[in-house]
């Protein structure tokens, strides 16, 4: 059985429903899983489909994981991360049969509207990944947000929109039971859907550098933020290992919807000190990680070390 929680490094780009689940079946996604009640109930109701839950909040993924594990549900998977990044870079064109968005945060204050999920750009992206007979089901109890969604769909210019009563499975959710009113829309792709390309390049390249000289003193270490072409690299902290000679950097990397925290190690080698990603977790080898290795190497050069060799 495949793991319930998908790791970024285990993904193919793009990934078919069969690759994600180990079996061929229609793919249904919920964006924003909350406590996992909806995805668990839908998985039990529809054992014939593969169900994917996406959420940025670790606590939502944890609660959903426990629920799926407790109920021994085998046709659901979870991904912790940005939905826009996952849909754009992992889901192939025509790979989604249905997308549920249940009671998303309406971000009611006007200055926060840019944080709303269902912007026109995201709806265009979803349309490019939907099957010809696929759809997006949106349900909310917030009338102003519902009107915003309808406006976004009109701006996206690639949907037919109807507003029927909510489907039975949606009405079983915690938020639906609490709500006094339900606003529901079904967005079906039209013939004017444009392709939306992936924007994160993943490679098997092991970025590294070799530097010569003496390691500088790292205490106290000052946090550094460096902007590069595709995003931001933040050197959070530096640690001396308990054994051996070298240093380990905690690095935060942001790039086009993807956020990763990784360890970059500077360790003693045959020719000098090797600067490379440490084997910890399962990070994606992207331009952001290349930038992290480059930033640390350049910082060491600023401290008086010399580049002997580099691959980044």
């Amino acid at each position: 059985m495949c793991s319930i929680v998908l790791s970024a490094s285990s993904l193919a780009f793009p990934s078919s429903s069969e690759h994600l689940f180990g079996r061929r079946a229609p793919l249904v996604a919920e964006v924003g899983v909350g406590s996992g009640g909806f995805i668990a109930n839908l998985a039990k109701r529809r054992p014939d489909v593969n169900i994917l839950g996406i959420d940025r909040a670790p606590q939502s993924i944890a609660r959903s994981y426990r629920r799926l594990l407790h109920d021994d549900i085998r046709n659901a998977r979870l991904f912790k991360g940005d939905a826009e990044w996952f849909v754009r870079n992992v889901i192939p064109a025509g790979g989604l049969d249905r997308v549920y968005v249940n009671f998303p945060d309406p971000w009611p204050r006007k200055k926060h509207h840019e944080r709303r999920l269902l912007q026109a750009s995201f709806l265009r992206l979803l349309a490019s990944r939907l099957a010809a007979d696929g759809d997006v089901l949106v349900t909310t109890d917030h009338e102003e947000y519902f009107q915003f969604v309808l406006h976004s769909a009109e701006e996206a210019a690639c949907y037919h929109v109807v507003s029927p009563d909510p489907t039975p499975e949606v009405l079983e959710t915690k938020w639906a039971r609490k709500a006094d009113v339900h606003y529901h829309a079904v967005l079906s792709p039209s013939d004017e859907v444009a392709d939306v390309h992936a924007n994160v390049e993943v490679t098997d390249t092991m970025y590294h550098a070799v530097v010569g000289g003496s390691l500088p003193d790292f205490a106290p270490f000052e946090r550094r933020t460096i902007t590069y072409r595709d995003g931001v690299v933040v050197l959070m902290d530096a640690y001396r290992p308990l054994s051996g000679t070298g240093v380990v950097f905690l690095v935060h990397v942001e790039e086009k919807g993807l956020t990763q925290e990784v360890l970059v190690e500077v360790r003693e080698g045959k020719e000098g000190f090797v600067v490379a990603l440490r084997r910890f977790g399962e990070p994606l080898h992207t331009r952001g990680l290349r930038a992290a290795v480059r930033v640390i190497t350049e910082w060491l050069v600023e401290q008086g070390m010399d580049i002997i060799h580099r691959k980044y």
Side-chain angles (χ1 to χ4, degrees), residues 82-161:
D82 183 81
E84 192 275 342
W85 178 87
F86 190 94
V87 173
R88 177 187 289 270
N89 294 287
V90 180
I91 302 297
L96 281 169
D97 289 83
R98 170 164 287 180
V99 178
Y100 288 93
V101 185
N102 298 318
F103 299 88
D105 191 332
W107 291 104
R109 299 181 66 180
K110 189 172 183 179
K111 67 178 182 178
H112 293 153
H113 282 188
E114 63 181 17
R115 302 184 189 181
R116 289 176 165 178
L117 173 66
L118 296 177
Q119 308 281 344
S121 58
F122 184 60
L123 290 178
R124 280 192 289 267
L125 171 62
L126 287 180
S128 73
R129 302 304 191 261
L130 284 172
D133 58 348
D135 51 26
V136 180
L137 273 60
V138 182
T139 310
T140 180
D141 59 350
H142 194 281
E143 183 178 9
E144 189 275 328
Y145 183 73
F146 185 69
Q147 294 301 322
F148 171 84
V149 172
L150 297 182
H151 177 76
S152 294
E154 182 179 3
E155 184 182 346
C158 54
Y159 286 101
H160 301 297
V161 182

Side-chain angles (χ1 to χ4, degrees), residues 239-254:
Y239 306 91
R240 290 283 192 180
L242 294 177
S243 60
T245 303
V247 66
V248 177
F249 290 88
L250 173 61
V251 187
H252 177 91
V253 182
E254 296 181 7

Side-chain angles (χ1 to χ4, degrees), residues 49-270:
V49 302
N50 293 333
I51 303 173
L52 172 68
I54 307 172
D55 205 300
R56 299 177 67 175
Q59 61 271 27
S60 293
I61 294 297
R63 288 194 294 264
S64 300
Y65 170 78
R66 289 193 293 268
R67 189 184 293 266
L68 295 176
L69 194 65
H70 178 270
D71 292 347
D72 193 28
I73 291 172
R74 298 171 180 261
N75 62 322
R77 301 287 182 270
L78 301 167
F79 180 79
K80 186 190 79 66
D82 183 81
E84 192 275 342
W85 178 87
F86 190 94
V87 173
R88 177 187 289 270
N89 294 287
V90 180
I91 302 297
L96 281 169
D97 289 83
R98 170 164 287 180
V99 178
Y100 288 93
V101 185
N102 298 318
F103 299 88
D105 191 332
W107 291 104
R109 299 181 66 180
K110 189 172 183 179
K111 67 178 182 178
H112 293 153
H113 282 188
E114 63 181 17
R115 302 184 189 181
R116 289 176 165 178
L117 173 66
L118 296 177
Q119 308 281 344
S121 58
F122 184 60
L123 290 178
R124 280 192 289 267
L125 171 62
L126 287 180
S128 73
R129 302 304 191 261
L130 284 172
D133 58 348
D135 51 26
V136 180
L137 273 60
V138 182
T139 310
T140 180
D141 59 350
H142 194 281
E143 183 178 9
E144 189 275 328
Y145 183 73
F146 185 69
Q147 294 301 322
F148 171 84
V149 172
L150 297 182
H151 177 76
S152 294
E154 182 179 3
E155 184 182 346
C158 54
Y159 286 101
H160 301 297
V161 182
V162 295
S163 299
D165 292 333
T167 54
E169 67 270 22
V170 169
L171 293 177
E172 294 174 0
T173 63
K174 177 181 71 173
W175 292 110
R177 291 194 295 269
K178 287 184 175 182
D180 295 325
V181 63
H182 306 101
Y183 301 98
H184 183 72
V186 178
L187 285 59
S188 305
S190 64
D191 297 331
E192 292 77 27
V193 176
D195 188 21
V196 180
H197 298 288
N199 63 4
V200 171
E201 177 185 345
V202 180
T203 176
D204 294 328
T205 302
M206 301 298 291
Y207 304 117
H208 68 277
V210 178
V211 294
S214 300
L215 283 178
D217 185 8
F218 291 91
F221 181 80
E222 294 185 5
R223 174 172 168 164
R224 291 167 60 106
T225 300
I226 300 93
T227 301
Y228 71 105
R229 186 182 67 176
D230 296 318
V232 175
V233 172
V234 183
L235 304 187
M236 305 287 290
D237 211 338
Y239 306 91
R240 290 283 192 180
L242 294 177
S243 60
T245 303
V247 66
V248 177
F249 290 88
L250 173 61
V251 187
H252 177 91
V253 182
E254 296 181 7
E255 51 182 320
K256 295 181 178 178
L258 176 65
T259 299
Q260 302 190 88
E261 289 194 349
V262 299
L263 297 178
V264 177
E265 183 177 31
V266 183
R267 64 181 184 274
E268 195 168 10
K270 293 181 179 179

